[in-house]
Amino acid sequence: MAVALSTLTARLQAAVPPRDGVPADYGQLIQDAVLQLSQDVPMERVGTIDVVSGVATYDLPGDFLFLIEVVPLAVDQGVLVAPAGLIPVPDGWQERYYVAGGQLTIDPTPTYTLTRRIRYGARHELTGDPGAEVYERLTVNGARIALLYARYLALSEQANAVAGDGWRYAIGDETVDKTRQGDGLRAQAEAMLQAYRREVQALKGYGQRRWT
């Protein structure tokens, strides 16, 4: 079930109403929170790369976070056993894979042409037209957990803004101290962060496939 960015944004704003215009961009806080959730509990997905002989570098999927494996091909007595047939390879042939800038590089440069399968950690990707963007693979429970982190971000912004306006004065026996007015917001933010961490920890160890 897809979860709309606008729905999450509205829920965050209702939970943490703006204070003097802070936070200014609730939608960005939601995107930052979902990305954090993706990094902490990534989805495990399977994709394909169309390998072409003589080409070493290939674009990775848009939701790629990190490589788990390039599904290996069998090698028997100097012959690569591939779906397209038998392909001779040098003695001691072994591929290595490098990831940088959203691309996968295969070393040595392939001398074969075929489709390779990869397993990778994936992030939740925002799709759709502006104003109607959705997270297609984010579950209801995942959205709930991401909102905890988004609330932490929003409250932290408010605490920092209030702290910057802190002041203190004394007139005779009267003292007014506003230097610690952000402490309450900071405590709320920390509570949201701890709640988020507990939820994430509970998910780990049960297999990331639950997020697909």
Side-chain angles (χ1 to χ4, degrees):
M1 178 179 177
V3 180
L5 174 62
S6 59
T7 299
L8 295 176
T9 300
R11 290 176 62 184
L12 176 59
Q13 188 164 356
V16 186
R19 297 169 60 98
D20 297 325
V22 179
D25 192 341
Y26 284 88
Q28 185 59 55
L29 294 184
I30 290 295
Q31 293 178 61
D32 292 344
V34 173
L35 179 57
Q36 184 65 52
L37 179 64
S38 296
Q39 292 172 336
D40 290 335
V41 191
M43 297 181 289
E44 182 179 320
R45 301 198 65 199
V46 175
T48 59
I49 294 176
D50 294 325
V51 178
V52 177
S53 178
V55 179
T57 301
Y58 302 87
D59 291 335
L60 289 162
D63 61 353
F64 180 90
L65 277 179
F66 60 87
L67 183 67
I68 298 174
E69 73 165 345
V70 177
V71 177
L73 297 169
V75 178
D76 184 21
Q77 298 181 350
V79 176
L80 179 65
V81 182
L86 303 179
I87 303 170
V89 292
D91 291 339
W93 176 87
Q94 183 177 5
E95 287 184 328
R96 293 179 174 82
Y97 310 102
Y98 305 94
V99 174
Q103 294 184 314
L104 173 74
T105 298
I106 303 174
D107 181 39
T109 298
T111 56
Y112 57 85
T113 297
L114 57 88
T115 298
R116 299 293 305 272
R117 296 174 68 241
I118 64 170
R119 292 173 54 235
Y120 66 98
R123 64 180 176 86
H124 291 284
E125 193 173 19
L126 195 61
T127 61
D129 296 328
E133 301 99 327
V134 297
Y135 289 104
E136 292 185 352
R137 295 184 177 87
L138 186 63
T139 66
V140 172
N141 189 51
R144 178 184 65 83
I145 297 172
L147 276 168
L148 292 173
Y149 196 83
R151 290 171 67 179
Y152 157 71
L153 294 175
L155 289 164
S156 294
E157 282 196 14
Q158 291 182 344
N160 291 336
V162 170
D165 294 332
W167 47 268
R168 182 178 186 275
Y169 73 82
I171 301 177
D173 294 334
E174 180 185 2
T175 300
V176 178
D177 190 345
K178 294 288 186 178
T179 58
R180 301 179 63 85
Q181 58 182 331
D183 288 0
L185 290 169
R186 200 166 287 110
Q188 292 179 56
E190 182 63 23
M192 289 299 103
L193 179 59
Q194 294 305 318
Y196 168 80
R197 287 173 173 169
R198 286 193 297 271
E199 293 284 355
V200 165
Q201 188 60 41
L203 291 174
K204 291 182 176 179
Y206 293 94
Q208 283 81 2
R209 288 184 180 87
R210 66 185 298 162
W211 292 94
T212 59

